[in-house]
Amino acid sequence: MNIKRGLFRLWLVMSLFWVIGVGVVGSGYIKSDKWWKGDEWWEKDPLAFLPVRCEDARGTVNVDYEKLDAFEPWNQYRTPSTACYFTIEKLRALFPEYKDQSREEISRKLYDRIGWAPAFDGDRYEHTKIVSAVAIVPPLLLLIIGGLVGWALAGFKSSAKTS
């Protein structure tokens, strides 16, 4: 009977059950991550708009632009918390200085001008990393500790010398 092989097999089976159990319990957390469900806030239409400080707005309100609160939660608590939102077409028509720039350049300049932080995507795998660590680290620690204890106990075995 080989104790080491039996303990290793027991560790393997118990680790498999552990990983499956953590996966089942943590699946709800994983499904709340952006890589799983998509970037809901980015996929909404309002973020197709570009924010301009309302004192710099050109055109007619509710015709050329809309005055709204910041769409991003981290900008709703800044001053100003509202902006005048233009579509890219209206912005280029009313602001000729942005006519030849890319949408990304325009967006960056407008966010800097208004004093807001640009869109922050966040960690797409925030909960997945935690669930993965809980699933993998304890079995690995158990394997390392068990291997070290086995190695230490093997040092106490009497060596049988045959002559």
Side-chain angles (χ1 to χ4, degrees):
M1 181 161 140
N2 189 340
I3 297 286
K4 286 183 182 180
R5 185 179 301 156
L7 286 175
F8 180 74
R9 288 179 180 170
L10 177 65
W11 170 84
L12 197 60
V13 170
M14 295 307 290
S15 294
L16 182 65
F17 285 140
W18 175 262
V19 169
I20 291 170
V22 169
V24 168
V25 171
S27 65
Y29 296 109
I30 291 172
K31 289 178 182 178
S32 70
D33 276 348
K34 292 177 185 174
W35 72 271
W36 183 276
K37 67 178 183 176
D39 296 334
E40 293 175 345
W41 64 270
W42 183 256
E43 294 168 357
K44 292 180 184 172
D45 288 335
L47 287 175
F49 294 141
L50 294 166
V52 174
R53 291 182 79 84
C54 286
E55 56 265 16
D56 297 337
R58 300 175 189 165
T60 309
V61 70
N62 295 330
V63 175
D64 297 317
Y65 65 88
E66 293 181 44
K67 186 175 181 177
L68 302 168
D69 289 333
F71 294 123
E72 304 92 351
W74 54 91
N75 288 328
Q76 291 176 355
Y77 301 101
R78 295 180 183 230
T79 303
S81 63
T82 60
C84 293
Y85 286 91
F86 290 83
T87 62
I88 188 70
E89 296 81 17
K90 291 277 187 179
L91 186 93
R92 285 191 172 138
L94 294 169
F95 294 84
E97 60 267 26
Y98 297 121
K99 187 176 183 180
D100 297 329
Q101 296 177 10
S102 71
R103 187 190 188 294
E104 291 77 23
E105 288 178 87
I106 296 170
S107 178
R108 189 179 68 249
K109 287 180 182 180
L110 292 174
Y111 271 88
D112 286 344
R113 170 79 175 100
I114 202 165
W116 287 355
F120 174 69
D121 192 21
D123 188 1
R124 300 180 63 78
Y125 305 99
E126 179 181 5
H127 299 104
T128 304
K129 287 186 215 176
I130 295 169
V131 171
S132 299
V134 169
I136 293 171
V137 170
L140 284 179
L141 286 176
L142 189 61
L143 177 66
I144 291 169
I145 291 169
L148 289 174
V149 169
W151 174 71
L153 291 177
F156 291 108
K157 280 186 180 179
S158 60
S159 57
K161 293 185 181 181
T162 57
S163 42

